[in-house]
Amino acid sequence: MTKRLAFGLFLSIFILGACRNYAPRDIRNYYFPLRQLTEGLVYEYRADDSLTPAYWHYRSILGKEGHFLTSTYYEQELEPLQMTREEMVSNGMLLRDLRLFATDTAGLARTTTVQIEHGNVFPFQVTDSLGVFLYKVSWTDEEGQQITLTRNRRFLGDTSFHFEGRTWPGVVFSLIESIELDHPQQGYFEQQLEGREGYAHELGLFFYGKAPKGQAPIIFSLRDRYTMEELEKKANKR
């Protein structure tokens, strides 16, 4: 089967006061630089000093079977909470594996393998028509509750970011997210979220944030990059 992302393109919309341009634009270099991440790097994201930072360890695997990007999300005590594996395909990055780590009510470690229905993570081509890119996953928690996460990314346009003493060209996406909870006893509940993501050229994800519809999102922005060994040293000093 041909490895291509099932990116759905919808109604064209004119934005940013620019001329209409329906020719595809290649933005692959705004995603994480896979060739620079073969040894792995930690990206530290922060919102403000009152919130704990988010640590993401990114590492690429470049081989005959394909090019992959793995990411692990750590909390402040360096306990992994989430692990993903993405594959580079002809027109974007596709989620292949997603695992969640938690401690259950008995205090035992629990690993949940998430079911991937639409794994579109990042498109390599966009147009001014604001294509919508669908991401949808689901899993069951320890109480038997079915959880479904649906995320629509919409390309907005260009921006720039300041980091490490220089200015980086960037692109921005809007997010519309739905979280559906279906509990065997408590019934069904759905929450709508809205937010944004920004990606910097040859750097990758620079900021992200979301919140319930109508509320201002908390934005986490890239503050630093360093090796996993440096993160371990930071943790040992606490």
Side-chain angles (χ1 to χ4, degrees):
M1 181 175 66
T2 302
K3 294 179 179 178
R4 288 189 61 83
L5 297 182
F7 288 149
L9 299 179
F10 292 82
L11 182 65
S12 297
I13 302 175
F14 175 62
I15 61 164
L16 299 179
C19 296
R20 293 179 186 270
N21 179 10
Y22 299 103
R25 173 187 171 190
D26 195 310
I27 62 167
R28 72 186 66 215
N29 290 332
Y30 289 84
Y31 201 56
F32 293 98
L34 269 62
R35 295 191 181 280
Q36 300 175 29
L37 293 173
T38 54
E39 299 299 320
L41 273 181
V42 174
Y43 281 48
E44 179 183 322
Y45 298 91
R46 288 182 177 269
D48 56 49
D49 293 336
S50 66
L51 299 175
T52 58
Y55 301 107
W56 284 90
H57 180 255
Y58 296 102
R59 181 173 176 266
S60 60
I61 302 171
L62 311 179
K64 294 181 179 179
E65 293 79 16
H67 292 184
F68 299 89
L69 178 68
T70 64
S71 62
T72 306
Y73 170 56
Y74 293 93
E75 63 176 7
Q76 192 161 3
E77 300 304 320
L78 295 193
E79 291 292 332
L81 298 181
Q82 176 179 312
M83 182 179 294
T84 70
R85 182 173 66 94
E86 304 167 14
E87 182 179 8
M88 178 188 290
V89 295
S90 60
N91 62 338
M93 298 299 295
L94 185 67
L95 183 67
R96 290 302 191 192
D97 297 297
L98 171 56
R99 298 181 184 184
L100 306 176
F101 306 102
T103 302
D104 62 20
T105 54
L108 301 176
R110 174 186 172 92
T111 301
T112 301
T113 299
V114 174
Q115 301 300 311
I116 302 167
E117 185 171 340
H118 297 284
N120 303 316
V121 177
F122 187 86
F124 286 166
Q125 292 189 333
V126 294
T127 69
D128 285 348
S129 61
L130 302 186
V132 175
F133 308 99
L134 176 62
Y135 174 98
K136 186 175 183 180
V137 297
S138 61
W139 66 95
T140 303
D141 67 13
E142 62 176 303
E143 297 180 355
Q145 177 175 238
Q146 179 74 17
I147 304 169
T148 301
L149 169 64
T150 304
R151 178 181 299 142
N152 289 321
R153 285 184 174 89
R154 185 185 292 271
F155 177 69
L156 292 183
D158 296 277
T159 186
S160 61
F161 305 109
H162 188 73
F163 179 68
E164 295 180 340
R166 54 168 285 197
T167 299
W168 304 71
V171 293
V172 179
F173 289 82
S174 68
L175 303 176
I176 297 179
E177 191 169 286
S178 169
I179 300 177
E180 301 173 76
L181 309 177
D182 193 357
H183 195 280
Q185 283 81 43
Q186 300 175 14
Y188 177 84
F189 173 78
E190 181 177 0
Q191 185 175 36
Q192 300 288 330
L193 303 173
E194 294 180 342
R196 290 196 175 191
E197 290 178 336
Y199 295 84
H201 189 267
E202 295 292 352
L203 188 61
L205 182 64
F206 188 82
F207 80 83
Y208 61 92
K210 57 190 175 182
K213 189 174 182 179
Q215 298 183 22
I218 297 174
I219 301 295
F220 281 79
S221 300
L222 182 62
R223 293 289 184 89
D224 203 356
R225 295 186 298 172
Y226 39 78
T227 64
M228 191 65 192
E229 289 74 18
E230 290 180 68
L231 178 59
E232 292 170 348
K233 289 179 182 179
K234 287 175 178 283
N236 291 334
K237 290 180 180 178
R238 297 191 189 109

